[in-house]
Amino acid sequence: MGITERRNRDREKMRKRILDTAMKLFLADGYESVSMRRIADMIEYSPATIYLYYKSKDAIFYELHDIGFEKLYKKQSLAYSFKDPWKRLEKHGKAYIDFALGNPRYYELMFIMEAPEKDFSKKDEGDIGYRSFDFLVQNIRDCMDQGYLKKTDASVAAFSFWSLIHGIVSLVLRGKAVMFEEGQMEAVARDSLKYVMNSIRNK
Amino acid sequence: MGITERRNRDREKMRKRILDTAMKLFLADGYESVSMRRIADMIEYSPATIYLYYKSKDAIFYELHDIGFEKLYKKQSLAYSFKDPWKRLEKHGKAYIDFALGNPRYYELMFIMEAPEKDFSKKDEGDIGYRSFDFLVQNIRDCMDQGYLKKTDASVAAFSFWSLIHGIVSLVLRGKAVMFEEGQMEAVARDSLKYVMNSIRNK
DNA sequence: CCATGTTACTGAACGCTGTTTATATACTAA
DNA sequence: TTAGTATATAAACAGCGTTCAGTAACATGG
């Protein structure tokens, strides 16, 4: 019977319409400007209808959040085509900064804003978040093995690296780096990463 | 004429009452839970009254924001009693992490949350923020001069250092470091700083 | 084909939010 | 005592996320 299938398709279409509209509003004007009523207006349904497809506003944002992780993960994966672990580390860092500065709203949603709800964020973020972090840990370990980095707990070193790049982009995104000229921020971000990488390099 | 003076005192008292109440609510339950009506309830005035003393909710938070900067600045200043620039850098970083993890709400307000309003945040944050950053730049320069650090643009290196410590604490505060055990986070934060400082040290 | 049950949808409301405005009261100055 | 000013508030505005009773369209079994 094709009726249930069609219904499922319709349902998915509607979910997508809602998600796309939320994303459009979010990317254009940020979290604040996404309201259930605005989404409803744009898709020409009543606000209550949205609740038949998403259980809350947080649920919508959690899906956007997931899409962002997928995008970042793909971008980072490219770095791992190189065989030299140091080169991989460089590319990883560069990809991260590129993603954050190129998709500032996504980055804020994923790493800067308070997590929408504890119900969601536990398992799934672990899922792809862990995978990404494990990649980094392994790469750091390789760098240590090949003498590029001083040896220590690889998790701690990976966390350090992540902290550095997260710190760089989140200061830039939050406009805290006012001591640099507006147009120079991206360059400063990249130079910062280069400087530290150059300084920690052991061979 | 003592009347205007008394009125000014009363006015300041009222402002303080409002600010203290906002701070209490904020430190206890975070930004979300501070509403003009809750403040009004606690000080036993009507919500509208608050607007006679502060022009908006953002204005209140901007004052809290300032108080936080003052606290951080004081804590960091202690680091500068040491004459060895490397030791100063270590203490600076440690003080920063201690402040952030010891006053998470403040730290969020100051560096993580979206700035309340552009009207306020331009000049004054520059004021003490710049001072703090300049201290760091000078210290980094000293470290370079004495051979502790590889030479480069001192502003970029200072930004790198700031990014690292900001990154560490904001990942911890946002609960993104889920790969470490809850109780170990503070230790990881400190170890990360130690690892990087140990790695970038040039002599 | 009709009755029954299911699904999709919505208007109206609840209880919040920050903020504004008209109004009333209390205090000061002439 | 009167005029003027400062202080306080109730009520409302426009928005928010969310819930729920009620309606209308549709699918299905008899």
Side-chain angles (χ1 to χ4, degrees):
Chain A
M1 187 53 68
I3 283 173
T4 31
E5 273 99 9
R6 194 215 58 214
R7 275 219 260 253
N8 284 344
R9 278 201 313 274
D10 285 356
R11 203 185 148 71
E12 279 316 304
K13 258 185 189 150
M14 186 63 156
R15 281 178 65 92
K16 190 162 169 7
R17 260 166 73 74
I18 293 167
L19 201 66
D20 288 348
T21 306
M23 172 140 41
K24 186 185 287 179
L25 287 171
F26 175 66
L27 292 180
D29 305 315
Y31 182 84
E32 295 281 282
S33 85
V34 184
S35 78
M36 298 305 254
R37 285 172 175 83
R38 282 193 68 184
I39 296 174
D41 273 2
M42 292 192 76
I43 61 173
E44 296 174 293
Y45 280 83
S46 107
T49 302
I50 298 178
Y51 287 87
L52 302 176
Y53 296 88
Y54 285 96
K55 79 175 252 266
S56 68
K57 190 184 172 186
D58 281 348
I60 296 176
F61 272 89
Y62 189 63
E63 271 204 34
L64 290 181
H65 177 270
D66 265 9
I67 295 174
F69 268 99
E70 215 65 56
K71 283 169 82 125
L72 171 59
Y73 184 71
K74 268 188 194 148
K75 204 154 194 177
Q76 280 181 346
S77 298
L78 300 177
Y80 289 85
S81 57
F82 296 88
K83 58 182 172 309
D84 180 45
W86 185 258
K87 185 100 187 167
R88 289 206 297 261
L89 200 57
E90 280 178 342
K91 293 287 175 189
H92 184 122
K94 201 179 162 325
Y96 194 95
I97 290 179
D98 284 350
F99 174 81
L101 301 186
N103 308 273
R105 307 268 191 214
Y106 265 118
Y107 193 83
E108 288 184 19
L109 179 59
M110 293 159 63
F111 295 112
I112 301 183
M113 283 171 40
E114 196 118 40
E117 268 282 314
K118 285 153 190 180
D119 306 353
F120 312 103
S121 61
K122 281 262 159 96
K123 196 180 140 276
D124 226 31
E125 181 176 314
D127 208 324
I128 192 159
Y130 268 113
R131 225 193 313 161
S132 222
F133 188 71
D134 287 344
F135 254 105
L136 182 60
V137 171
Q138 188 50 51
N139 199 38
I140 292 270
R141 222 189 302 271
D142 292 345
C143 285
M144 287 179 180
D145 288 344
Q146 298 191 24
Y148 283 118
L149 284 173
K150 275 203 164 76
K151 294 211 177 187
T152 192
D153 183 326
S155 299
V156 169
F159 182 71
S160 303
F161 185 76
W162 183 22
S163 293
L164 173 68
I165 53 187
H166 168 69
I168 289 171
V169 299
S170 54
L171 287 177
V172 169
L173 292 183
R174 278 292 182 259
K176 298 293 173 185
V178 281
M179 47 287 299
F180 300 103
E181 286 176 42
E182 192 79 34
Q184 300 302 320
M185 291 219 186
E186 292 211 12
V188 170
R190 277 173 240 286
D191 288 349
S192 274
L193 177 60
K194 274 186 212 153
Y195 173 68
V196 177
M197 287 200 70
N198 188 47
S199 294
I200 61 176
R201 186 170 173 159
N202 212 20
K203 81 162 185 190
Chain B
M1 187 56 67
I3 283 171
T4 32
E5 273 98 8
R6 193 215 59 214
R7 275 219 261 252
N8 284 344
R9 277 200 313 274
D10 285 356
R11 203 184 149 71
E12 279 317 303
K13 257 185 190 149
M14 186 63 157
R15 281 179 65 91
K16 190 160 169 8
R17 259 165 74 75
I18 293 167
L19 200 68
D20 288 349
T21 307
M23 171 140 42
K24 185 185 289 179
L25 287 171
F26 175 67
L27 292 180
D29 305 315
Y31 182 85
E32 294 282 282
S33 84
V34 183
S35 78
M36 297 305 252
R37 285 172 176 80
R38 282 193 67 185
I39 297 173
D41 273 3
M42 290 191 77
I43 61 173
E44 295 174 292
Y45 280 83
S46 108
T49 302
I50 298 178
Y51 287 86
L52 302 176
Y53 296 89
Y54 285 95
K55 81 174 250 266
S56 69
K57 190 185 172 185
D58 281 349
I60 296 176
F61 271 89
Y62 189 62
E63 272 204 34
L64 290 181
H65 178 270
D66 265 8
I67 295 172
F69 268 100
E70 214 65 55
K71 283 169 83 124
L72 172 59
Y73 185 72
K74 269 188 194 148
K75 204 154 193 176
Q76 281 182 345
S77 299
L78 300 178
Y80 289 84
S81 57
F82 295 88
K83 57 183 175 307
D84 179 45
W86 186 258
K87 185 99 188 169
R88 288 206 297 260
L89 200 58
E90 281 178 340
K91 292 287 174 189
H92 184 122
K94 202 180 162 322
Y96 194 95
I97 291 180
D98 284 350
F99 174 81
L101 301 185
N103 307 274
R105 307 269 191 214
Y106 265 118
Y107 193 83
E108 288 184 18
L109 179 60
M110 292 160 64
F111 294 112
I112 302 182
M113 284 172 41
E114 196 118 40
E117 268 282 314
K118 284 153 191 180
D119 306 352
F120 313 101
S121 61
K122 282 260 159 100
K123 196 179 141 274
D124 225 32
E125 180 176 315
D127 207 325
I128 191 159
Y130 269 113
R131 225 190 315 159
S132 220
F133 189 71
D134 287 345
F135 254 105
L136 182 60
V137 171
Q138 188 49 50
N139 198 40
I140 292 271
R141 222 189 301 272
D142 292 345
C143 286
M144 288 177 180
D145 288 343
Q146 298 192 22
Y148 283 118
L149 286 173
K150 274 204 164 74
K151 292 211 178 188
T152 192
D153 182 326
S155 298
V156 170
F159 182 72
S160 303
F161 185 76
W162 183 22
S163 293
L164 173 68
I165 53 185
H166 169 69
I168 290 171
V169 299
S170 55
L171 286 177
V172 169
L173 292 183
R174 276 292 182 257
K176 297 293 174 185
V178 279
M179 47 286 298
F180 300 103
E181 285 176 42
E182 192 78 35
Q184 300 301 320
M185 290 220 184
E186 292 210 13
V188 170
R190 278 172 239 285
D191 288 348
S192 275
L193 177 60
K194 274 186 212 154
Y195 173 66
V196 177
M197 288 200 69
N198 189 47
S199 294
I200 61 177
R201 185 171 174 160
N202 210 20
K203 80 164 186 189

